[in-house]
Amino acid sequence: MPSQTHPIDPVRYGTEPAAPARPIAAAPSAVLSAVDAHAEAAIALLSDLVAINSINPLFPGIDRAAVIGGETRCTDLLGERLAALGAEIHRVAPDPERTNVVAVLKGAGGGRSLILNGHLDTVAPFTPERWISGDPWKPTLKDGRLYGLGSTDMKGGLVSVVLALQAIRAAGVRLKGDVQVHAVVGEETMSHELGTSAVLEAGFTADAAIVVEPSSQPFPLSVAPVSAGNFNLEITVRGRATHAGNRGAAIRPGGEGASAGVNAVEKAILVVQALQTLEEEWGQTKSHPAFPTGFFSLVPGVFHGDAGVPSVGYMADKATVGYLVWYPPGDTADAVKAEIERHVGHAAALDPWLRENPPMFDWKSNWPVADTAEDHPLVRTLVDARAAVLGPIPRGRRETWSLNAVTDASFLEAKGIPTTVFGPGNLRFAHAVDEHIEIQDLVNGAKVLALAILGWCGVAD
Ligand SMILES: [Zn+2]
C-alpha cells in the first residue's frame, strides 16, 4: 500500500539527468498525505467498480439486453461517493437505460472552473478464461496491481479523481472555482452524443477539462494535450465470381481476361499495396513533435472476400478491407479523405478492371483530433503538478506528449473547452488480457490531480 510521495524510478521514468524544474509552489503536504490516508478506500471503490460488468452495449458482438444497466450502476456508485463529498448530483440520460452522472462541487467563487471527465463503459474482454483470476470482473490484487476489466481503461482514472477530491476535502481546503466530475457512458463506441457531448449540451461546461484516461506514454502519468484524428474506413472492390477452374483463362496472357472472371480478393490486394505506398510517404510527410516517429499510418485491420459463400472453389465476387487511419493534428479530415481517395484512384487507374469498377469508399466515422496548446495554462498547471509529485521530466525530453489513442477530449474541445488527457493506468494493458493498474500509479495520479485542481481552481482563504 502506498505511503510516501513516489521518488523517480530511473527505470520507469528514464535515465537521463533531470532538467532543472521550474519554480513550483510548495506542495500542500496536508493534501498529499490525505491522498495516502484515503488510498485504501479508493482501491476498495475501484474493486467495486471493476466487479460490475459495464460493457458498452453497442460494442461489436455484444447483446444489449445482456449488459444494459452496468454503466448506470457504475455511474450511480461514483455519484454516491461524490455526493458524500458534498457534490450536487445531476443525471443526464439521452438513453434512459444509460445514465451519465455529473457531480458539481461548488467553489467559493472567483476561481476558474474545471471538468474532470472519464467513462465507465468498457470494451468486451476476449478469452476471459486466460485472465489471471479466470474472470475479468473478479478484481484481484497482486504485486501492487489491481487486475480486472476496466481497471486501467478507465475506472482507475475516475477513482483517482474521487481520491484527489476526497483528499482536498479531508485537508480542509476550500476551492475558489467549481469542479465538475463527468462520469459518462458510451466512450468505447464513440457514442459521445449519449455521453460526453450530451452532458455538455445539458449545460455542464467549464473553463477547462482533464480527461483522466491512462496517459502512460512515454512515461507513466504523462501530460497529453494532443491526440491524432482517426477514420474508420471501409473500401469495397467488386469482382466477377466464377468457378476457380477459370482462373487460367481469366489471368494468363492470351486468355479471355475479365470476361472469364475477376477475383475481387486480388483486386483488393492492389488497394492494400497502394495504401502501403501512401503510408510510407506519410512517414516522410506527416509528423508532429509530440508523436512518436511514424505514428501516422493506415492500418488494414479487417479483410473479407468471397463469392457469397465461404468456399475456395470460386473467384471472389466482392472484397472489403477495413482501415483505421491515424492522421496528425493540423491536417483537416477532409484533406486526409481526399488524399486517400486520390491515391487509391491513381492506383486503380493502372488496372483495367479497377479503372472500370473503381473501389468504393465507406467513411464510417471520424474521431476528430484533440489539440490543446502545450503552453495553455491548464497544461502548464498539470506539468508543474506532475513535477511536484514525480520530479522533473528527464533533461532533453518533452514535457507534454501525444496520447496514442483517441478520447472524449476531442468532443470537449469541439465545444470550445481546452482539454488535456492525464490519468493513471497503462495503455499497453487496455483492451488486453489481464488488464491492470498499478496502485502506486493510481495514488500518484490522484496527487498530481489534487495539486492541479488546487492550482487551477484556486484556494479560498
Ligand atoms: Zn478509455
Side-chain angles (χ1 to χ4, degrees):
M1 210 60 32
S3 58
Q4 291 299 312
T5 299
H6 190 53
I8 295 186
D9 172 343
V11 177
R12 291 179 69 211
Y13 293 88
T15 51
E16 291 131 280
R22 273 189 305 281
I24 294 158
S29 55
V31 172
L32 296 184
S33 24
V35 169
D36 287 325
H38 290 85
E40 209 154 332
I43 293 154
L45 171 60
L46 180 54
S47 299
D48 290 347
L49 288 168
V50 165
I52 298 170
N53 176 339
S54 58
I55 294 179
N56 184 314
L58 292 173
F59 203 77
I62 290 300
D63 171 18
R64 175 183 167 110
V67 298
I68 195 71
E71 289 166 311
T72 301
R73 288 210 300 287
C74 287
T75 55
D76 275 346
L77 177 54
L78 211 80
E80 261 171 44
R81 297 305 165 91
L82 290 163
L85 300 180
E88 289 168 13
I89 302 300
H90 303 266
R91 293 184 163 77
V92 178
D95 177 338
E97 291 183 298
R98 304 177 67 190
T99 305
N100 303 284
V101 162
V102 180
V104 181
L105 283 152
K106 282 273 176 213
R112 295 176 288 196
S113 56
L114 182 65
I115 291 169
L116 297 154
N117 168 294
H119 66 85
L120 282 156
D121 59 316
T122 73
V123 295
F126 45 92
T127 55
E129 68 287 352
R130 279 176 49 214
W131 285 58
I132 195 166
S133 58
D135 178 354
W137 295 282
K138 186 175 164 207
T140 305
L141 259 176
K142 191 166 181 278
D143 303 329
R145 298 166 166 179
L146 193 140
Y147 287 82
L149 183 64
S151 53
T152 261
D153 185 12
M154 57 167 290
K155 294 173 175 178
L158 278 165
V159 167
S160 72
V161 166
V162 174
L163 179 52
L165 293 171
Q166 184 146 39
I168 290 171
R169 184 181 166 92
V173 175
R174 181 90 204 272
L175 299 170
K176 286 184 183 165
D178 294 353
V179 173
Q180 297 179 18
V181 180
H182 294 186
V184 304
V185 305
E187 192 272 350
E188 293 290 359
T189 53
M190 198 185 153
S191 310
H192 62 100
E193 69 290 347
L194 298 177
T196 289
S197 296
V199 168
L200 298 173
E201 270 154 34
F204 297 101
T205 62
D207 295 326
I210 302 172
V211 173
V212 289
E213 290 263 18
S215 56
S216 52
Q217 292 164 346
F219 310 118
L221 297 166
S222 291
V223 179
V226 287
S227 57
N230 81 24
F231 277 114
N232 177 348
L233 163 65
E234 207 172 82
I235 304 176
T236 299
V237 172
R238 303 302 313 207
R240 179 175 285 153
T242 182
H243 190 287
N246 295 317
R247 180 172 174 78
I251 69 162
R252 298 294 178 211
E256 227 177 290
S259 59
V262 174
N263 186 1
V265 164
E266 286 167 302
K267 296 302 176 191
I269 288 171
L270 295 179
V271 172
V272 171
Q273 287 169 337
L275 289 178
Q276 282 172 335
T277 309
L278 181 61
E279 188 180 42
E280 265 176 46
E281 191 183 312
W282 279 17
Q284 310 280 319
T285 59
K286 294 199 195 301
S287 65
H288 186 288
F291 285 80
T293 309
F295 180 80
F296 305 106
S297 48
L298 299 131
V299 190
V302 174
F303 196 129
H304 288 302
D306 61 31
V309 285
S311 164
V312 292
Y314 300 78
M315 287 196 225
D317 194 39
K318 183 178 149 188
T320 300
V321 199
Y323 272 90
L324 198 288
V325 177
W326 292 109
Y327 64 90
D331 282 21
T332 68
D334 284 346
V336 172
K337 240 173 160 170
E339 187 181 4
I340 290 171
E341 290 197 5
R342 195 167 57 238
H343 196 88
V344 171
H346 288 160
L350 298 175
D351 179 84
W353 173 260
L354 290 179
R355 203 152 53 223
E356 300 302 318
N357 301 274
M360 292 167 281
F361 293 83
D362 181 1
W363 296 92
K364 291 185 166 301
S365 64
N366 173 221
W367 201 306
V369 300
D371 193 8
T372 293
E374 60 183 326
D375 60 357
H376 186 279
L378 173 72
V379 178
R380 300 322 304 167
T381 300
L382 261 172
V383 165
D384 291 347
R386 185 192 187 282
V389 174
L390 294 166
I393 295 288
R395 184 188 293 279
R397 306 297 299 271
R398 294 177 56 84
E399 290 178 314
T400 66
W401 300 85
S402 59
L403 190 83
N404 299 336
V406 284
T407 72
D408 276 344
S410 302
F411 303 110
L412 285 146
E413 286 188 13
K415 290 275 189 289
I417 300 171
T419 304
T420 184
V421 176
F422 169 87
N426 190 333
L427 197 62
R428 286 276 155 80
F429 302 114
H431 301 201
V433 169
D434 282 341
E435 178 178 347
H436 61 267
I437 189 165
E438 300 210 15
I439 301 303
Q440 186 69 70
D441 208 35
L442 188 154
V443 171
N444 288 341
K447 288 180 179 175
V448 176
L449 285 170
L451 296 188
I453 293 166
L454 301 186
W456 179 260
C457 298
V459 174
D461 297 329

